Coordinates of all heavy atoms in Angstrom, one line a residue:
I1 N 28.0 6.4 -10.7 CA 27.0 6.2 -11.7 C 26.2 7.5 -11.8 O 25.7 8.1 -10.8 CB 26.0 5.0 -11.2 CG1 26.8 3.7 -11.1 CG2 24.9 4.9 -12.1 CD1 26.0 2.6 -10.5
H2 N 25.9 7.9 -13.0 CA 25.1 9.1 -13.3 C 23.8 8.6 -13.8 O 23.6 7.8 -14.7 CB 25.8 9.9 -14.4 CG 24.9 11.0 -14.9 ND1 24.7 12.1 -14.0 CD2 24.2 11.2 -16.0 CE1 23.8 13.0 -14.7 NE2 23.6 12.4 -15.9
I3 N 22.7 9.1 -13.1 CA 21.3 8.8 -13.4 C 20.7 10.1 -13.9 O 20.6 11.0 -13.1 CB 20.5 8.2 -12.2 CG1 21.2 6.9 -11.7 CG2 19.1 8.0 -12.6 CD1 20.7 6.4 -10.5
P4 N 20.3 10.1 -15.2 CA 19.6 11.4 -15.7 C 18.4 11.7 -14.8 O 17.7 10.9 -14.3 CB 19.2 11.0 -17.1 CG 20.0 9.8 -17.5 CD 20.3 9.1 -16.2
T5 N 18.1 13.0 -14.8 CA 17.0 13.5 -14.0 C 15.7 12.9 -14.4 O 14.9 12.5 -13.6 CB 16.9 15.1 -14.2 OG1 18.1 15.6 -13.8 CG2 15.8 15.6 -13.3
Q6 N 15.4 12.7 -15.7 CA 14.2 12.1 -16.1 C 14.1 10.7 -15.6 O 13.0 10.2 -15.2 CB 14.1 12.1 -17.7 CG 12.8 11.6 -18.2 CD 12.7 11.7 -19.7 OE1 13.7 12.0 -20.3 NE2 11.5 11.4 -20.2
A7 N 15.1 9.9 -15.6 CA 15.1 8.5 -15.1 C 14.8 8.5 -13.6 O 14.1 7.6 -13.1 CB 16.4 7.8 -15.4
R8 N 15.4 9.5 -12.9 CA 15.2 9.5 -11.4 C 13.7 9.8 -11.1 O 13.2 9.3 -10.1 CB 16.0 10.6 -10.8 CG 17.4 10.2 -10.5 CD 18.2 11.2 -9.8 NE 19.1 11.8 -10.8 CZ 19.6 13.0 -10.8 NH1 19.2 13.9 -9.8 NH2 20.4 13.4 -11.7
E9 N 13.0 10.5 -11.9 CA 11.6 10.9 -11.6 C 10.7 9.7 -11.9 O 9.6 9.7 -11.5 CB 11.2 12.1 -12.5 CG 11.9 13.4 -12.1 CD 11.7 14.5 -13.0 OE1 11.0 14.3 -14.0 OE2 12.2 15.6 -12.7
Q10 N 11.2 8.6 -12.5 CA 10.4 7.5 -12.9 C 10.6 6.4 -11.9 O 10.0 5.2 -12.2 CB 10.7 7.0 -14.3 CG 10.3 8.1 -15.4 CD 10.8 7.7 -16.8 OE1 11.3 6.6 -17.0 NE2 10.5 8.5 -17.7
V11 N 11.3 6.5 -10.9 CA 11.5 5.5 -9.9 C 11.0 5.9 -8.5 O 11.2 7.1 -8.1 CB 13.1 5.2 -9.8 CG1 13.3 4.2 -8.7 CG2 13.6 4.7 -11.1
C12 N 10.3 5.0 -7.8 CA 9.8 5.3 -6.5 C 10.4 4.2 -5.5 O 10.9 3.2 -5.9 CB 8.3 5.1 -6.5 SG 7.4 6.3 -7.4
E13 N 10.4 4.6 -4.2 CA 10.9 3.7 -3.2 C 9.8 3.4 -2.2 O 9.0 4.3 -1.9 CB 12.1 4.3 -2.5 CG 12.8 3.4 -1.6 CD 14.1 4.0 -1.1 OE1 14.9 4.5 -1.9 OE2 14.2 4.1 0.2
G14 N 9.7 2.1 -1.8 CA 8.6 1.8 -0.8 C 9.0 0.6 0.0 O 10.1 -0.1 -0.3
T15 N 8.2 0.2 1.0 CA 8.4 -0.9 1.8 C 7.4 -2.0 1.4 O 6.2 -1.8 1.2 CB 8.1 -0.5 3.3 OG1 9.0 0.6 3.6 CG2 8.4 -1.7 4.2
V16 N 8.0 -3.2 1.3 CA 7.1 -4.4 0.9 C 6.3 -4.8 2.2 O 6.8 -4.9 3.3 CB 8.1 -5.6 0.6 CG1 7.2 -6.8 0.3 CG2 8.9 -5.3 -0.6
V17 N 5.0 -4.9 2.0 CA 4.1 -5.2 3.0 C 3.7 -6.7 3.0 O 3.7 -7.3 4.1 CB 2.8 -4.4 2.9 CG1 1.8 -4.8 4.0 CG2 3.1 -2.9 3.0
A18 N 3.5 -7.3 1.9 CA 3.2 -8.7 1.8 C 3.6 -9.2 0.4 O 3.7 -8.4 -0.6 CB 1.7 -8.9 1.9
V19 N 3.9 -10.5 0.3 CA 4.3 -11.1 -0.9 C 3.5 -12.4 -1.1 O 3.1 -13.1 -0.1 CB 5.8 -11.4 -1.1 CG1 6.5 -10.1 -1.1 CG2 6.3 -12.3 0.0
G20 N 3.4 -12.9 -2.3 CA 2.8 -14.2 -2.6 C 4.0 -15.3 -2.6 O 5.1 -14.9 -2.4
P21 N 3.6 -16.5 -2.7 CA 4.7 -17.6 -2.7 C 5.6 -17.6 -3.9 O 6.7 -18.0 -3.8 CB 3.8 -18.9 -2.6 CG 2.5 -18.5 -3.3 CD 2.3 -17.1 -2.9
G22 N 5.1 -17.1 -5.1 CA 5.9 -17.2 -6.2 C 5.1 -17.3 -7.5 O 3.9 -17.0 -7.4
R23 N 5.7 -17.8 -8.6 CA 4.9 -18.0 -9.8 C 5.5 -19.2 -10.6 O 6.6 -19.6 -10.4 CB 5.0 -16.8 -10.7 CG 6.4 -16.5 -11.2 CD 6.4 -15.1 -11.9 NE 7.7 -14.9 -12.5 CZ 8.1 -15.1 -13.8 NH1 7.1 -15.5 -14.6 NH2 9.3 -14.9 -14.2
W24 N 4.7 -19.7 -11.5 CA 5.1 -20.8 -12.4 C 5.6 -20.1 -13.7 O 5.1 -19.2 -14.2 CB 3.9 -21.7 -12.8 CG 3.4 -22.5 -11.6 CD1 2.4 -22.3 -10.8 CD2 4.0 -23.8 -11.2 NE1 2.3 -23.3 -9.8 CE2 3.3 -24.2 -10.1 CE3 5.1 -24.5 -11.7 CZ2 3.6 -25.4 -9.4 CZ3 5.4 -25.7 -11.1 CH2 4.7 -26.1 -10.0
C25 N 6.8 -20.7 -14.1 CA 7.4 -20.1 -15.3 C 8.0 -21.3 -16.1 O 8.3 -22.3 -15.6 CB 8.4 -19.1 -15.0 SG 9.7 -19.6 -14.0
R26 N 8.2 -21.0 -17.4 CA 8.8 -22.1 -18.3 C 10.3 -22.2 -18.1 O 11.0 -21.2 -18.0 CB 8.5 -21.7 -19.7 CG 7.0 -21.7 -20.0 CD 6.7 -21.9 -21.5 NE 5.3 -21.9 -21.8 CZ 4.6 -23.0 -21.6 NH1 5.0 -24.1 -21.1 NH2 3.3 -23.0 -21.8
E27 N 10.8 -23.4 -18.1 CA 12.2 -23.6 -18.0 C 12.9 -23.3 -19.2 O 14.1 -22.9 -19.3 CB 12.5 -25.1 -17.7 CG 12.2 -25.5 -16.3 CD 12.5 -26.9 -16.0 OE1 12.8 -27.7 -16.9 OE2 12.6 -27.3 -14.8
D28 N 12.3 -23.3 -20.4 CA 12.9 -23.2 -21.7 C 12.8 -21.8 -22.2 O 12.8 -21.6 -23.5 CB 12.2 -24.2 -22.6 CG 10.7 -24.1 -22.7 OD1 10.2 -23.0 -22.1 OD2 10.0 -25.0 -23.1
K29 N 12.7 -20.8 -21.4 CA 12.6 -19.4 -21.9 C 13.7 -19.1 -22.8 O 14.9 -19.3 -22.4 CB 12.5 -18.5 -20.7 CG 12.2 -17.1 -21.1 CD 12.0 -16.2 -19.8 CE 11.7 -14.8 -20.2 NZ 11.6 -13.9 -19.1
G30 N 13.5 -18.6 -23.9 CA 14.6 -18.2 -24.8 C 15.1 -19.3 -25.8 O 15.9 -19.0 -26.7
E31 N 14.6 -20.5 -25.6 CA 15.0 -21.6 -26.5 C 14.2 -21.6 -27.8 O 13.1 -21.1 -27.8 CB 14.9 -23.0 -25.8 CG 15.9 -23.2 -24.7 CD 15.7 -24.6 -24.1 OE1 15.1 -25.4 -24.7 OE2 16.3 -24.8 -23.0
R32 N 14.8 -22.1 -28.8 CA 14.2 -22.1 -30.1 C 13.0 -23.0 -30.2 O 12.0 -22.7 -30.7 CB 15.2 -22.5 -31.2 CG 14.8 -22.2 -32.6 CD 15.8 -22.4 -33.5 NE 16.6 -21.2 -33.6 CZ 17.6 -21.0 -34.5 NH1 18.0 -22.0 -35.2 NH2 18.3 -19.9 -34.5
R33 N 13.1 -24.2 -29.5 CA 12.0 -25.2 -29.5 C 11.6 -25.4 -28.1 O 12.1 -26.2 -27.4 CB 12.4 -26.5 -30.1 CG 12.7 -26.4 -31.6 CD 13.0 -27.7 -32.2 NE 13.4 -27.6 -33.6 CZ 14.3 -28.2 -34.2 NH1 15.0 -29.2 -33.5 NH2 14.7 -28.0 -35.4
P34 N 10.5 -24.7 -27.6 CA 10.1 -24.8 -26.2 C 9.6 -26.2 -25.9 O 8.9 -26.8 -26.7 CB 9.1 -23.8 -26.0 CG 8.7 -23.3 -27.4 CD 9.8 -23.7 -28.3
T35 N 10.0 -26.7 -24.7 CA 9.5 -28.1 -24.3 C 8.2 -28.0 -23.5 O 7.5 -29.0 -23.4 CB 10.6 -28.8 -23.4 OG1 10.8 -28.0 -22.3 CG2 11.9 -29.0 -24.2
G36 N 7.9 -26.9 -23.0 CA 6.7 -26.7 -22.2 C 6.8 -27.1 -20.8 O 5.8 -27.1 -20.1
K37 N 8.0 -27.5 -20.3 CA 8.2 -27.8 -18.9 C 8.0 -26.5 -18.0 O 8.5 -25.5 -18.3 CB 9.5 -28.4 -18.6 CG 9.7 -29.8 -19.3 CD 11.1 -30.3 -19.0 CE 11.3 -31.6 -19.7 NZ 12.6 -32.2 -19.5
L38 N 7.4 -26.7 -16.9 CA 7.2 -25.6 -16.0 C 7.9 -25.8 -14.7 O 8.2 -27.0 -14.3 CB 5.7 -25.4 -15.6 CG 4.7 -25.0 -16.7 CD1 3.3 -25.0 -16.2 CD2 5.1 -23.7 -17.3
R39 N 8.3 -24.7 -14.1 CA 9.0 -24.8 -12.7 C 8.4 -23.7 -11.9 O 8.0 -22.7 -12.4 CB 10.5 -24.7 -12.8 CG 11.0 -23.4 -13.3 CD 12.5 -23.4 -13.4 NE 13.0 -22.2 -14.0 CZ 13.2 -21.0 -13.4 NH1 13.0 -20.9 -12.1 NH2 13.6 -20.0 -14.0
F40 N 8.5 -23.9 -10.6 CA 8.0 -22.9 -9.6 C 9.2 -22.0 -9.2 O 10.2 -22.5 -8.8 CB 7.4 -23.6 -8.4 CG 6.6 -22.6 -7.6 CD1 5.4 -22.1 -8.0 CD2 7.2 -22.1 -6.4 CE1 4.7 -21.2 -7.2 CE2 6.5 -21.2 -5.6 CZ 5.2 -20.7 -6.0
Q41 N 9.0 -20.7 -9.4 CA 10.0 -19.7 -9.0 C 9.5 -19.0 -7.8 O 8.5 -18.3 -7.8 CB 10.3 -18.7 -10.1 CG 11.3 -17.7 -9.8 CD 11.6 -16.8 -11.0 OE1 11.0 -16.9 -12.0 NE2 12.5 -15.9 -10.8
R42 N 10.3 -19.1 -6.7 CA 9.9 -18.5 -5.4 C 10.1 -17.0 -5.5 O 11.0 -16.5 -6.1 CB 10.6 -19.1 -4.2 CG 10.3 -20.5 -4.0 CD 10.7 -21.0 -2.6 NE 10.4 -22.4 -2.4 CZ 9.2 -22.8 -2.1 NH1 8.3 -22.0 -1.9 NH2 9.1 -24.1 -1.8
T43 N 9.3 -16.3 -4.7 CA 9.5 -14.8 -4.6 C 10.8 -14.5 -3.9 O 11.1 -15.1 -2.8 CB 8.3 -14.2 -3.8 OG1 7.0 -14.6 -4.5 CG2 8.3 -12.7 -3.8
E44 N 11.5 -13.5 -4.4 CA 12.8 -13.2 -3.8 C 12.7 -12.0 -2.8 O 13.6 -11.9 -1.9 CB 13.8 -12.9 -4.8 CG 14.2 -14.1 -5.7 CD 15.3 -13.8 -6.7 OE1 16.1 -13.0 -6.4 OE2 15.3 -14.5 -7.7
V45 N 11.8 -11.1 -2.9 CA 11.6 -10.0 -2.0 C 10.8 -10.5 -0.8 O 10.0 -11.4 -0.9 CB 11.0 -8.8 -2.6 CG1 11.8 -8.2 -3.7 CG2 9.6 -9.1 -3.1
R46 N 11.1 -9.9 0.3 CA 10.4 -10.3 1.6 C 9.7 -9.1 2.2 O 10.2 -8.0 2.1 CB 11.4 -10.9 2.6 CG 12.2 -12.1 2.1 CD 11.2 -13.3 2.1 NE 11.8 -14.4 1.5 CZ 11.3 -15.0 0.4 NH1 10.1 -14.6 -0.1 NH2 11.9 -16.1 -0.1
P47 N 8.6 -9.3 3.0 CA 8.0 -8.2 3.7 C 9.0 -7.5 4.6 O 9.9 -8.1 5.2 CB 6.9 -8.9 4.6 CG 6.7 -10.2 3.8 CD 8.0 -10.6 3.2
G48 N 8.9 -6.1 4.6 CA 9.8 -5.3 5.4 C 11.0 -4.7 4.7 O 11.6 -3.8 5.1
Q49 N 11.3 -5.3 3.5 CA 12.4 -4.8 2.7 C 12.0 -3.5 2.0 O 10.8 -3.3 1.6 CB 12.8 -5.8 1.6 CG 13.6 -7.0 2.2 CD 14.0 -7.9 1.1 OE1 13.3 -8.2 0.1 NE2 15.2 -8.4 1.2
R50 N 13.0 -2.6 1.9 CA 12.8 -1.4 1.1 C 13.2 -1.7 -0.3 O 14.3 -2.2 -0.6 CB 13.7 -0.2 1.6 CG 13.4 0.1 3.1 CD 12.3 1.2 3.3 NE 12.4 2.4 2.5 CZ 11.4 3.1 2.3 NH1 10.2 2.9 2.7 NH2 11.5 4.2 1.5
V51 N 12.4 -1.3 -1.3 CA 12.6 -1.6 -2.7 C 12.4 -0.4 -3.6 O 11.7 0.5 -3.2 CB 11.7 -2.8 -3.2 CG1 12.0 -4.1 -2.5 CG2 10.2 -2.4 -3.1
R52 N 13.1 -0.4 -4.7 CA 12.9 0.7 -5.7 C 12.1 0.0 -6.8 O 12.4 -1.1 -7.3 CB 14.2 1.2 -6.3 CG 15.0 2.0 -5.2 CD 15.9 2.9 -5.8 NE 16.1 4.0 -4.8 CZ 16.5 5.1 -5.1 NH1 16.7 5.5 -6.4 NH2 16.8 6.0 -4.2
V53 N 11.1 0.7 -7.3 CA 10.1 0.2 -8.3 C 9.9 1.2 -9.4 O 10.1 2.4 -9.2 CB 8.8 -0.2 -7.7 CG1 9.0 -1.4 -6.7 CG2 8.1 0.9 -7.0
E54 N 9.5 0.7 -10.5 CA 9.1 1.6 -11.6 C 7.8 2.4 -11.2 O 6.9 1.8 -10.7 CB 8.9 0.8 -12.9 CG 10.2 0.1 -13.3 CD 9.9 -0.8 -14.5 OE1 8.9 -0.7 -15.2 OE2 10.8 -1.7 -14.8
K55 N 7.8 3.7 -11.5 CA 6.8 4.5 -11.0 C 5.4 4.2 -11.5 O 4.4 4.3 -10.8 CB 7.1 6.0 -11.3 CG 6.2 7.0 -10.7 CD 6.7 8.4 -10.9 CE 5.8 9.4 -10.2 NZ 6.4 10.8 -10.3
H56 N 5.2 3.9 -12.8 CA 3.9 3.8 -13.4 C 3.4 2.4 -13.6 O 2.7 2.1 -14.4 CB 3.9 4.5 -14.7 CG 4.2 6.0 -14.6 ND1 3.3 6.9 -14.0 CD2 5.3 6.7 -14.9 CE1 3.9 8.1 -14.0 NE2 5.1 8.0 -14.5
H57 N 3.9 1.5 -12.7 CA 3.5 0.1 -12.8 C 2.7 -0.3 -11.5 O 2.9 0.3 -10.4 CB 4.7 -0.9 -12.9 CG 5.2 -0.9 -14.3 ND1 6.2 0.0 -14.6 CD2 5.0 -1.6 -15.4 CE1 6.5 -0.2 -15.9 NE2 5.8 -1.1 -16.4
G58 N 1.8 -1.2 -11.6 CA 1.1 -1.7 -10.5 C -0.3 -1.2 -10.4 O -0.7 -0.3 -11.2
T59 N -1.1 -1.7 -9.5 CA -2.5 -1.3 -9.4 C -2.7 -0.7 -7.9 O -2.3 -1.4 -7.0 CB -3.4 -2.6 -9.5 OG1 -3.2 -3.1 -10.8 CG2 -4.9 -2.2 -9.4
F60 N -3.2 0.4 -7.9 CA -3.4 1.1 -6.6 C -4.7 0.6 -5.9 O -5.8 0.6 -6.5 CB -3.5 2.6 -6.8 CG -2.2 3.2 -7.1 CD1 -1.8 3.3 -8.5 CD2 -1.3 3.7 -6.2 CE1 -0.6 3.8 -8.8 CE2 -0.1 4.2 -6.5 CZ 0.2 4.3 -7.9
V61 N -4.6 0.2 -4.6 CA -5.8 -0.3 -3.9 C -5.8 0.3 -2.5 O -4.7 0.6 -2.0 CB -5.8 -1.9 -3.7 CG1 -6.0 -2.6 -5.1 CG2 -4.6 -2.4 -3.1
D62 N -7.0 0.5 -2.0 CA -7.1 1.1 -0.7 C -7.6 0.0 0.3 O -8.6 -0.6 0.1 CB -8.2 2.2 -0.7 CG -8.3 3.0 0.6 OD1 -9.0 2.5 1.5 OD2 -7.7 4.1 0.6
V63 N -6.7 -0.2 1.4 CA -7.0 -1.2 2.3 C -7.1 -0.5 3.7 O -6.1 0.0 4.2 CB -5.9 -2.3 2.4 CG1 -6.2 -3.3 3.4 CG2 -5.8 -3.0 1.0
G64 N -8.3 -0.4 4.2 CA -8.4 0.3 5.6 C -8.0 1.7 5.6 O -7.4 2.2 6.6
G65 N -8.2 2.4 4.5 CA -7.8 3.8 4.5 C -6.4 4.1 4.1 O -5.9 5.2 4.1
V66 N -5.6 3.0 3.9 CA -4.2 3.1 3.5 C -4.0 2.7 2.1 O -4.5 1.6 1.7 CB -3.3 2.2 4.4 CG1 -1.8 2.4 4.0 CG2 -3.4 2.6 5.8
E67 N -3.4 3.5 1.2 CA -3.2 3.2 -0.2 C -2.0 2.3 -0.4 O -0.9 2.6 0.1 CB -3.1 4.5 -1.0 CG -3.1 4.2 -2.5 CD -3.0 5.4 -3.3 OE1 -2.1 6.2 -3.2 OE2 -3.9 5.6 -4.1
H68 N -2.2 1.2 -1.1 CA -1.1 0.2 -1.4 C -1.0 0.1 -2.9 O -1.9 0.4 -3.6 CB -1.4 -1.1 -0.8 CG -1.4 -1.1 0.7 ND1 -0.3 -1.2 1.5 CD2 -2.4 -1.0 1.6 CE1 -0.6 -1.2 2.7 NE2 -1.9 -1.1 2.9
V69 N 0.1 -0.4 -3.4 CA 0.3 -0.7 -4.8 C 0.6 -2.2 -4.9 O 1.5 -2.8 -4.3 CB 1.5 0.1 -5.4 CG1 1.6 -0.2 -6.9 CG2 1.3 1.6 -5.2
V70 N -0.2 -2.9 -5.7 CA 0.0 -4.3 -6.0 C 0.7 -4.4 -7.3 O 0.2 -3.8 -8.3 CB -1.4 -5.1 -6.1 CG1 -1.2 -6.5 -6.4 CG2 -2.2 -4.9 -4.8
M71 N 1.8 -5.1 -7.3 CA 2.6 -5.2 -8.6 C 3.4 -6.5 -8.7 O 3.6 -7.2 -7.6 CB 3.6 -4.0 -8.7 CG 4.7 -4.0 -7.8 SD 5.9 -2.7 -8.1 CE 4.9 -1.3 -8.4
S72 N 3.8 -6.8 -9.8 CA 4.6 -8.0 -10.1 C 6.0 -7.8 -9.6 O 6.6 -6.6 -9.6 CB 4.6 -8.3 -11.6 OG 5.6 -9.3 -11.9
E73 N 6.7 -8.8 -9.1 CA 8.1 -8.8 -8.7 C 9.0 -8.3 -9.8 O 10.0 -7.7 -9.6 CB 8.5 -10.1 -8.1 CG 9.9 -10.1 -7.5 CD 10.3 -11.4 -6.9 OE1 9.9 -12.4 -7.5 OE2 11.0 -11.3 -5.9
A74 N 8.5 -8.5 -11.0 CA 9.4 -8.2 -12.2 C 9.6 -6.7 -12.3 O 10.5 -6.2 -12.9 CB 8.7 -8.7 -13.5
H75 N 8.7 -5.9 -11.7 CA 8.8 -4.4 -11.7 C 9.7 -3.8 -10.6 O 9.9 -2.6 -10.5 CB 7.5 -3.8 -11.8 CG 6.6 -4.1 -13.0 ND1 7.0 -3.8 -14.2 CD2 5.5 -4.9 -13.1 CE1 6.1 -4.2 -15.1 NE2 5.2 -4.9 -14.4
V76 N 10.2 -4.7 -9.7 CA 11.1 -4.3 -8.7 C 12.5 -4.1 -9.3 O 13.0 -5.0 -9.9 CB 11.2 -5.3 -7.5 CG1 12.2 -4.9 -6.5 CG2 9.8 -5.4 -6.9
L77 N 13.0 -2.9 -9.2 CA 14.3 -2.6 -9.8 C 15.5 -3.1 -8.9 O 16.6 -3.4 -9.4 CB 14.5 -1.1 -10.1 CG 13.4 -0.6 -11.1 CD1 13.6 0.9 -11.2 CD2 13.5 -1.2 -12.4
G78 N 15.3 -3.1 -7.6 CA 16.3 -3.5 -6.7 C 15.9 -3.3 -5.2 O 14.9 -2.6 -4.9
V79 N 16.6 -4.0 -4.3 CA 16.4 -3.9 -2.9 C 17.3 -2.9 -2.4 O 18.5 -2.9 -2.7 CB 16.5 -5.2 -2.2 CG1 16.4 -5.1 -0.7 CG2 15.5 -6.3 -2.8
V80 N 16.8 -1.9 -1.5 CA 17.7 -0.9 -0.9 C 18.2 -1.5 0.4 O 17.5 -1.9 1.2 CB 16.9 0.4 -0.6 CG1 17.7 1.4 0.0 CG2 16.2 0.9 -1.9
T81 N 19.5 -1.5 0.5 CA 20.2 -2.0 1.8 C 20.5 -0.8 2.7 O 20.9 0.3 2.2 CB 21.4 -2.8 1.5 OG1 22.3 -2.0 0.7 CG2 21.1 -4.0 0.7
P82 N 20.4 -1.0 4.0 CA 20.7 0.1 4.9 C 22.1 0.5 5.0 O 23.0 -0.2 4.6 CB 20.2 -0.4 6.3 CG 19.9 -1.9 6.1 CD 19.9 -2.2 4.7

């Protein structure tokens, strides 16, 4: 796989520190006539996993002198396996 230099510069790698339980989403996403039914989608990433994320997404917060990034799981490009 060839990844252009510009695309490589827009991706960062980090370790997941904490995650929430998940989010509510519509079952009918993409349908012409939405029914409005909701379902709970559990978070797929887990603390301790190494992930690749989009560089300019998330909110930077300082916790005890350590900088963290809070972001949606939707911005995780993939999990890095050892």
